[in-house]
Amino acid sequence: MRKLAIAVVISGGALVIGAIAIVHSSRRRRRSSQIVWSAAHCDRQHAHGILGAVGNTPLVKIRSLSEATGCEVYAKAEFLNPGGSIKDRVAVKIIKEALQSGKLRPGGVVTEGSAGSTAISLAMVAVACGCKCHVVIPDDAAIEKAQLLEALGATVERVRPVSITHKDHFVNIARRRAQEAEAKYKERMIVCPFDKNDKNPTKNGTHIVDSKDEAQGGYFADQFENLANFRAHYQGTGPEIWKQTGGKVDAFVAASGTGGTIAGITCYLKDQRPEVKCYLIDPPGSGLYNRVSRGVLYAREEAEGKRLKNPFDTITEGIGINRLTKNFLLAKLDGAIRGTDKEAVEMSRFLLREDGIFVGSSSAMNCVGAVRVARLLGPGHTIVTILCDSGSRHLSKFYNSDYLSTHGLLPTAKGLEFLV
């Protein structure tokens, strides 16, 4: 018999409500404690606004993978951030640094080219900081992400997927939108003599005449090249993992999109203990596996002439890339592992069935990497990975049986036999 339990979890000051399917059986009762929550996330009793609730996420022990490998397999539950993903950390860092530097003004518009989660986080953080948000996304991204962005008040521009070298790639369009907003802002500036009776004087006698709805300039978040991305994880996620494991972490593994997460965390962990092993798990169509393993950036699909219209041919979203970003270049890696779409799909269903963990495609790929690293190192090691976001953002593709059937990806495994 299946029942629905509503779990209320306090994470970093944020109230998170999640539905977990509980299956009653003798096997499930023996596994009643399937998830171990680290007490280290309870340091903060109160958060200052929604941004104060970002970070300090729980470290979750994944019981099924731990039992299967003989290792302690843990994952940072980043889907418990208030914006629903690990990208909340990046959005806060990027926008706060931009405001502090003056590159972004209150009331300005933050632009970004994103397949989903970063854009959602930027939309939430921008509003909290008194700014606007304009997002450019590829039109093949999951529709629920665009709907969520619009609900958050962001302007959403959907464009066809093209190569990053094309002027109309979604990232390049986002950069132009920021430049356009900044140009319009400067056009509205009127230089006039200083008037002591002016209610809003400035030091140089310049003030702005505009309507309340006009954006106060534009700022391109540039998540791929902006090193605030790296700093968010070197200063936040990495130290949290170290503290929550008591410094007893043997290996870290994750996929890479912008490179900020894997670079920030691996650098911090290796700075604490150089012996920590750090690995990349790379999806189909991405060239990073070959870059790490062989020093050459290319994807197998390119070599075989099978590249499709997408920048990288995978069902996973937000990971995999065919260029080196400033963030990724900082990563300290000991090796790389290839993952497949079928493995990610099977892993997501395995985690839901065995642990009640409902995660998205990149999180599932990370867990594929965790099992492979655990098998590589052998029993008795502590492996850490990232649960980037929940499965609720992947319903139209990754959890859609019709879509999976079309691509020959319907899950069939009963256990972990798909990881041969």
Side-chain angles (χ1 to χ4, degrees):
M1 181 176 69
R2 296 179 69 89
K3 292 185 178 179
L4 191 67
I6 303 299
V8 181
V9 180
I10 300 295
S11 172
L15 180 64
V16 182
I17 301 178
I20 303 175
I22 306 297
V23 181
H24 290 286
S25 71
S26 59
R27 183 170 68 91
R28 285 295 189 269
R29 282 194 292 272
R30 289 196 299 271
R31 285 183 163 189
S32 59
S33 179
Q34 292 196 15
I35 302 178
V36 178
W37 299 83
S38 168
H41 78 283
C42 297
D43 291 342
R44 250 181 354 223
Q45 296 301 314
H46 303 284
H48 296 286
I50 195 66
L51 302 189
V54 174
N56 283 328
T57 54
L59 189 67
V60 177
K61 179 179 179 180
I62 305 180
R63 177 181 283 273
S64 65
L65 302 186
S66 298
E67 291 181 351
T69 61
C71 290
E72 298 289 296
V73 179
Y74 289 94
K76 281 287 274 180
E78 291 298 305
F79 57 85
L80 292 179
N81 278 302
S85 83
I86 194 171
K87 296 299 186 179
D88 284 7
R89 297 175 184 267
V90 179
V92 169
K93 196 68 172 174
I94 286 176
I95 290 179
K96 281 192 172 182
E97 286 191 4
L99 286 169
Q100 290 167 0
S101 68
K103 294 178 181 178
L104 173 65
R105 309 169 191 86
V109 59
V110 179
T111 73
E112 184 56 284
S114 170
S117 289
T118 300
I120 292 167
S121 296
L122 284 170
M124 178 193 75
V125 175
V127 171
C129 292
C131 298
K132 306 173 190 292
C133 188
H134 182 112
V135 179
V136 186
I137 64 174
D139 60 14
D140 61 349
I143 187 64
E144 56 267 28
K145 292 184 178 180
Q147 293 169 336
L148 182 53
L149 281 166
E150 291 171 344
L152 288 169
T155 299
V156 179
E157 184 176 352
R158 298 174 69 93
V159 299
R160 66 186 181 89
V162 293
S163 167
I164 186 65
T165 59
H166 195 288
K167 68 181 181 66
D168 289 331
H169 184 275
F170 61 94
V171 171
N172 297 329
I173 292 176
R175 181 183 291 106
R176 287 205 301 274
R177 296 295 179 259
Q179 294 169 344
E180 292 163 1
E182 188 68 10
K184 288 181 180 178
Y185 169 82
K186 291 179 178 178
E187 286 174 3
R188 296 197 309 273
M189 296 182 70
I190 302 173
V191 179
C192 58
F194 178 78
D195 183 354
K196 66 179 180 180
N197 296 317
D198 191 345
K199 294 181 179 179
N200 297 294
T202 61
K203 291 181 181 179
N204 62 359
T206 302
H207 71 274
I208 303 166
V209 177
D210 61 359
S211 73
K212 198 172 183 180
D213 294 331
E214 293 276 9
Q216 304 303 300
Y219 177 77
F220 177 48
D222 198 12
Q223 61 168 328
F224 287 89
E225 308 300 333
N226 191 333
L227 292 182
N229 186 346
F230 167 85
R231 288 188 288 273
H233 300 292
Y234 186 86
Q235 298 170 7
T237 324
E240 289 173 28
I241 291 172
W242 186 255
K243 181 178 180 180
Q244 289 170 318
T245 60
K248 297 177 180 178
V249 53
D250 296 303
F252 174 79
V253 58
S256 178
T258 64
T261 300
I262 198 165
I265 294 175
T266 59
C267 281
Y268 183 84
L269 293 179
K270 281 187 172 287
D271 282 352
Q272 308 314 302
R273 188 162 68 90
E275 294 76 19
V276 176
K277 298 296 184 182
C278 297
Y279 296 90
L280 167 80
I281 175 79
D282 211 28
S286 175
L288 296 181
Y289 169 85
N290 284 313
R291 168 67 184 191
V292 174
S293 301
R294 302 169 184 171
V296 180
L297 184 68
Y298 76 94
R300 183 166 51 190
E301 288 77 6
E302 289 178 318
E304 295 174 354
K306 295 179 180 178
R307 177 155 301 285
L308 303 180
K309 68 183 180 67
N310 293 324
F312 33 87
D313 303 315
T314 174
I315 191 175
T316 60
E317 293 188 8
I319 56 174
I321 194 171
N322 281 303
R323 70 181 192 277
L324 295 176
T325 67
K326 290 181 180 178
N327 284 287
F328 184 80
L329 285 171
L330 296 176
K332 296 181 179 180
L333 297 168
D334 295 287
I337 303 162
R338 273 202 180 105
T340 70
D341 284 348
K342 187 63 183 296
E343 289 170 345
V345 171
E346 294 284 10
M347 178 60 77
S348 68
R349 275 51 172 191
F350 178 84
L351 293 173
L352 183 58
R353 184 170 62 247
E354 297 296 323
D355 301 276
I357 299 177
F358 181 51
V359 293
S361 55
S362 58
S363 302
M365 187 68 79
N366 284 348
C367 289
V368 169
V371 172
R372 292 210 180 278
V373 170
R375 289 177 175 176
L376 177 66
L377 299 184
H381 293 88
T382 297
I383 317 296
V384 177
T385 191
I386 302 290
L387 300 181
C388 312
D389 63 4
S390 81
S392 61
R393 293 184 179 175
H394 301 261
L395 299 178
S396 64
K397 294 173 66 176
F398 194 65
Y399 282 95
N400 184 315
S401 296
D402 292 336
Y403 181 88
L404 294 178
S405 178
T406 300
H407 292 80
L409 295 172
L410 280 174
T412 57
K414 301 300 181 182
L416 291 175
E417 67 269 20
F418 58 92
L419 292 178
V420 293

